[in-house]
């Protein structure tokens, strides 16, 4: 059964810093990996989807990479802003989506103005 | 373009009652997935529907059920509610049936409190 772990559980950094959030998974047969953000009391917003044949995706100040052999994904946030404060979740799926998305517990990020 | 709409947003029930939650996906999306989010367990997959058929199911008891209508709207039902069913229930829609191959768009969720 796929397990997804996110480290750290919480992170607080000053505005303007570059930062990296980590996600590890146990099943190298992972098919796709997605990164989401969740604001308090809200649903999830998809940030990046890395398909099985890809190794990374970029959107604006965000860059996500996927290394299936090591069971790791990272989300890089450049020039952090207070508006980036949220909980960031990574989620992996197996081919066919049989178990849906398996989510990590998330990293609660606070960007200090 | 309207997003994923979930109703009701908040509800309070007592143990033993049943509840029905509704989800309207983005127009054109045929796949609807449901997830339960709790502080202790995080987000857990409930089930996925595609073209009115349950395609995948998570590890939840039979008290949790769902269905999808011809217009892709979906409902989930929880019978004989327990205190542990208190959670945020999230619905997500996508274009195809493989929830991992496409970006999922989530609704704001339905927060259920069981007393």
């Amino acid at each position: 059964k796929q397990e997804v772990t996110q480290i750290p559980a919480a992170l607080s950094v000053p505005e303007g810093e570059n930062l990296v959030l980590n996600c590890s998974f146990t099943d190298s047969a992972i098919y796709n990996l997605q990164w989401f953000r969740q604001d308090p009391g809200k649903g999830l917003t998809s940030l990046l989807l890395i398909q099985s044949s890809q190794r990374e995706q970029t959107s604006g100040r965000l860059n996500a990479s996927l290394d299936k052999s090591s069971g790791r994904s990272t989300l890089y946030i450049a020039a952090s802003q207070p508006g980036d404060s949220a909980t960031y979740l990574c989620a992996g799926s197996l081919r066919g989506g049989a178990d849906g998305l398996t989510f990590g517990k998330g990293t609660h990020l606070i960007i200090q103005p | 373009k309207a997003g994923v709409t979930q109703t009701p947003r908040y509800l309070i029930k007592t143990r033993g009652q049943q509840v029905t939650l509704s989800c309207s996906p983005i127009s054109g999306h045929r796949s609807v997935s449901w997830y339960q989010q709790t502080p202790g367990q995080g987000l857990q997959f409930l089930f996925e529907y595609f073209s009115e058929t349950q395609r995948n199911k998570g590890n939840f008891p039979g008290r949790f059920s769902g269905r999808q209508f011809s217009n892709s709207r979906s409902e989930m039902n929880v019978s004989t509610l327990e205190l542990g069913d208190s959670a945020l229930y999230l619905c997500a829609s996508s274009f195809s049936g493989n929830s991992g191959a496409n970006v999922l768009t989530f609704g704001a969720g339905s927060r259920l409190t069981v007393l």
Side-chain angles (χ1 to χ4, degrees):
Chain A
K1 183 179 184 292
Q2 179 79 267
E3 291 184 7
V4 179
T5 304
Q6 291 188 248
I7 294 173
L11 181 64
S12 180
V13 301
E15 180 179 3
E17 282 201 6
N18 303 323
L19 56 99
V20 175
L21 306 182
N22 295 294
C23 170
S24 62
F25 45 89
T26 55
D27 192 340
S28 60
I30 190 168
Y31 190 60
N32 297 316
L33 189 129
Q34 298 189 39
W35 283 91
F36 298 86
R37 70 174 278 170
Q38 186 173 29
D39 294 282
K42 303 287 182 62
L44 277 64
T45 301
S46 179
L47 297 173
L48 292 164
L49 165 65
I50 307 177
Q51 305 256 16
S52 60
S53 59
Q54 301 170 327
R55 292 189 62 106
E56 67 175 325
Q57 280 287 339
T58 298
S59 176
R61 295 181 293 107
L62 305 180
N63 174 274
S65 65
L66 174 61
D67 184 345
K68 293 184 180 181
S69 62
S70 66
R72 292 184 60 189
S73 177
T74 60
L75 177 67
Y76 175 82
I77 303 176
S80 58
Q81 303 171 356
D84 295 331
S85 298
T87 296
Y88 289 80
L89 298 133
C90 68
S93 67
L94 299 175
R95 190 180 185 92
D99 296 323
L101 292 179
T102 300
F103 283 84
K105 294 289 181 69
T107 294
H108 181 56
L109 176 65
I110 296 175
I111 307 298
Q112 306 157 9
Chain B
K1 188 176 183 181
V4 178
T5 303
Q6 291 189 245
T7 57
R9 288 293 314 280
Y10 303 92
L11 66 167
I12 299 173
K13 294 286 187 178
T14 57
R15 280 181 298 174
Q17 287 187 311
Q18 73 162 12
V19 66
T20 298
L21 308 177
S22 178
C23 173
S24 294
I26 288 175
S27 179
H29 283 189
R30 298 164 65 190
S31 170
V32 173
S33 301
W34 289 89
Y35 290 83
Q36 181 196 64
Q37 186 176 31
T38 60
Q41 299 297 319
L43 275 147
Q44 294 184 287
F45 172 67
L46 282 157
F47 26 66
E48 176 191 8
Y49 286 87
F50 181 79
S51 293
E52 302 179 64
T53 300
Q54 185 180 89
R55 179 163 292 205
N56 294 300
K57 188 176 189 301
N59 188 27
F60 277 81
R63 300 186 297 108
F64 292 80
S65 63
R67 58 178 176 170
Q68 187 179 32
F69 302 95
S70 59
N71 61 358
S72 294
R73 189 177 71 85
S74 177
E75 289 181 346
M76 68 163 283
N77 183 274
V78 187
S79 63
T80 319
L81 284 167
E82 301 176 359
L83 296 179
D85 296 333
S86 294
L88 180 66
Y89 290 88
L90 292 163
C91 160
S93 76
S94 65
F95 180 73
S96 76
N98 183 332
S99 62
N102 294 268
V103 171
L104 296 191
T105 302
F106 280 81
S110 292
R111 184 166 295 282
L112 170 65
T113 301
V114 181
L115 302 177

